[in-house]
Amino acid sequence: VYADSAFYLPPGSPILRGQDQFRGQFGFLEQYGRDGRPGPRIEFEIVDRDVRGDLAYDIGLYTIRPPDAPEAAGSRGKFVVIWKRNPDGEWRIWADAFSAVE
């Protein structure tokens, strides 16, 4: 879903550019698929979205909960995602930034 040369801006980290630079950031999710266990529940709430030509953005909140955790468990955060349409018409994430809500 990310563009080959996308920007990834996780909290407490330098800007990472290109899928090869940030692919390891999602390793914690890959373990669930390998083990056949249910993964964390991730919910998104879009607060604002706009599309202008070949660029679009989403601003919102996320909640991530461990499998089988109660609603009160987990963590919340905020994000900005910028989408860019490729020449072939597919939308890809161009930039992804997020941080926890304290």
Side-chain angles (χ1 to χ4, degrees), residues 1 10 14 18 27 48 54 64 72 76 80 102:
V1 73
D48 191 33
D54 291 335
I64 184 166
R76 286 182 51 83
V80 174
E102 310 275 329

Side-chain angles (χ1 to χ4, degrees), residues 45-50 57-61 78-81:
E45 176 187 341
I46 304 297
V47 174
D48 191 33
R49 172 179 281 163
D50 197 6
Y57 68 80
D58 289 326
I59 298 172
L61 300 166
K78 55 191 180 291
F79 66 88
V80 174
V81 173

Side-chain angles (χ1 to χ4, degrees), residues 31-68:
Q31 70 182 348
Y32 294 102
R34 284 192 303 270
D35 298 346
R37 297 180 292 145
R41 291 182 293 160
I42 304 172
E43 300 169 5
F44 298 97
E45 176 187 341
I46 304 297
V47 174
D48 191 33
R49 172 179 281 163
D50 197 6
V51 179
R52 307 259 173 136
D54 291 335
L55 290 175
Y57 68 80
D58 289 326
I59 298 172
L61 300 166
Y62 69 85
T63 303
I64 184 166
R65 291 181 188 87
D68 302 321

